[in-house]
Amino acid sequence: MAPVSSAPQRIAPIGVFDSGVGGLTVLHELLVALPQEDFVYLGDSARFPYGDRTARELQDFSRQIADVLLARGAKLIVVACNSATSGALADLQAHVAASAHPVDVIGVVGPESNLAVVTTRNGRVGLLATPATVATGAYERAVLTADPLVRLASVACPELAQISQTGAPITERDVEIVRAYCAPLREAGVDTVILGCTHYPFVRALLQRVLGPGISLITSGTAIARRVEHALAARDLETAHVGEGRYDFLCTGDAAAFAEVGTRFLQLPVGAVEHVDLGPVGPLPTEALA
Ligand code: DGL
């Protein structure tokens, strides 16, 4: 008979990734909704931001990251980045399905769109997102699938992730930029706005003030937490572990910087961060921060 090990059983983690620290707002919701699960998070901070990347780049990066997460035993992969979900989800699902360890891959766009559609009362929904996300039309398709009669007004916000990321005090100029992004949504008469980027929960109060108190704001984290919960239950993948699980971090850039900025995004201690090298970063936008 094989000896019974008394060592604590390591449970398969849920793999989560993003272009950097932003997806920690999504991980935050997952840690609250599923405290007993283990998570491994990869932030591709060396190649941040993803918001101006081409679909091809997003697909290549996402495949590389998924391979790392699968090698760490991920039982499910969550694409916590709106830009990567919009540009690469279908490609990534096919890549993982064909791998030696096929698991489900869930992105933020579908759950967020579904939540927006059930939230709106007047059938007019707004979207604030990065240029890459808006350019793919992924939210239009997802909203249309949920309800063909709901109209979506989309605004590309090239500077909003940057404003949220620095943690610097919000300036009058920042407020002006936010007003300009919100103006088309006010004109379109939307009653619900999708915050289609991991960073935007950090300017939620400012967005709510500019859009008005009657507007419902939908974030990626809250929408996907329920979806992941359901995916685990439906596939019998829930951990049997009782109590708090562990969460580990990998990043492609400066691990110390990731830990420092990440703590603000996660609102929980980040602890040790392991650096992983994913190869060439490609041309970097000049104002990359993470
Ligand atoms: N995670 C990215 C997103 O949600 C943040 C912005 C970026 O990398 O450009 O689109």
Side-chain angles (χ1 to χ4, degrees), residues 18-20 22-23 48-52 80-84 130 133 161 196-199:
D18 177 51
S19 58
F48 173 90
Y50 277 11
D52 296 311
C81 176
N82 305 70
S83 301
T130 63
T133 294
C197 173
T198 49
H199 285 57

